[in-house]
Amino acid sequence: MSMLTPPGMGGKYRIKGNKYPRMRRPRRRGRLVVLVASSAAVLGMGGWGMWQLVGVFTGGGTKVSAVGSGTDCAPETKASPSPSAKPLPEPRAITVNVLNATTRSGLAKKTADELKKRGFKIGDVGNATKQYDKKVKGPGMLLGPASALDTSLPVLGTQLPGAERRTEAARKGVAVDLVIGDGFKELAKKPDADRALTKMARPQPAPSSKKGC
């Protein structure tokens, strides 16, 4: 055994030259890999948690439903068709009595002629009855049977906006009255009346709330 051979080496190693071998413990690569992987996992979980917290406080991210709500879909508003209503009659199907409740002469005939041009049927033309004569302060009053409240009266009302509408339970027949009042100036312009009629015939759908994803 050489004198340069360290004790306990059993002659297994022989030292050549003037340098001693460096004695190191074997590297434990497996433990190092596990530590690196664990650190990466911890960092990843921490980053994900931080992202969730930022989403909660800023309102961002995916909306999560409350526990027990039974759904994870946000409410959505959609337009649904309005309930079916009774169809409105056309002007040619409405008979109108034009009555003058003012002290101005000629209003009933002039108004009746204009309504006839617009397609309405004309019934009686003359002065208003004592019940309404000189007692209508607005532009006019529309009178009819109870069945005309949502049919004939609204259609006739497009020709004289602002006119009061009344029904008479004991009234017979289907004709309606247009009683000219002190505030009357003229009927609505025909283009405006036509637009009002079109809008009534095609009502907008009513909005309704519906849950969707």
Side-chain angles (χ1 to χ4, degrees):
M1 180 181 353
S2 171
M3 294 181 66
L4 298 179
T5 301
M9 299 299 288
K12 186 176 180 179
Y13 300 94
R14 185 174 298 278
I15 305 302
K16 293 181 179 182
N18 55 2
K19 294 183 180 181
Y20 287 93
R22 294 180 180 180
M23 307 303 292
R24 295 180 179 178
R25 293 183 180 182
R27 297 180 179 178
R28 298 181 179 181
R29 298 180 180 274
R31 179 177 297 178
L32 180 60
V33 172
V34 172
L35 288 176
V36 171
S38 300
S39 299
V42 171
L43 291 175
M45 291 297 292
W48 182 83
M50 181 64 67
W51 181 84
Q52 290 291 330
L53 289 175
V54 170
V56 169
F57 286 104
T58 61
T62 304
K63 293 182 179 180
V64 181
S65 61
V67 177
S69 62
T71 178
D72 58 355
C73 297
E76 180 182 358
T77 301
K78 287 188 176 182
S80 61
S82 59
S84 57
K86 191 173 182 179
L88 296 173
E90 296 183 3
R92 66 171 179 265
I94 302 175
T95 300
V96 182
N97 302 318
V98 183
L99 308 174
N100 187 3
T102 74
T103 57
R104 293 174 286 170
S105 61
L107 284 182
K109 185 178 186 308
K110 182 180 179 180
T111 303
D113 290 343
E114 182 61 29
L115 288 175
K116 186 176 182 180
K117 291 179 183 179
R118 299 184 184 188
F120 291 88
K121 290 183 179 180
I122 303 302
D124 297 334
V125 178
N127 294 325
T129 61
K130 185 178 180 180
Q131 181 181 359
Y132 299 108
D133 190 28
K134 300 179 182 63
K135 296 178 182 179
V136 180
K137 302 302 179 183
M141 181 182 296
L142 308 181
L143 300 173
S147 60
L149 181 61
D150 298 322
T151 54
S152 300
L153 292 184
V155 174
L156 182 58
T158 61
Q159 311 303 310
L160 187 59
E164 182 183 355
R165 302 177 191 178
R166 290 186 183 181
T167 59
E168 299 172 326
R171 187 181 181 113
K172 296 181 180 180
V174 294
V176 295
D177 297 345
L178 189 158
V179 183
I180 300 174
D182 292 335
F184 178 85
K185 294 182 179 180
E186 62 180 2
L187 294 176
K189 300 296 183 183
K190 189 176 185 306
D192 295 336
D194 290 342
R195 280 193 292 269
L197 280 172
T198 301
K199 186 176 181 180
M200 289 178 57
R202 299 176 183 177
Q204 296 294 325
S208 63
S209 297
K210 183 180 180 181
K211 291 184 177 180
C213 297

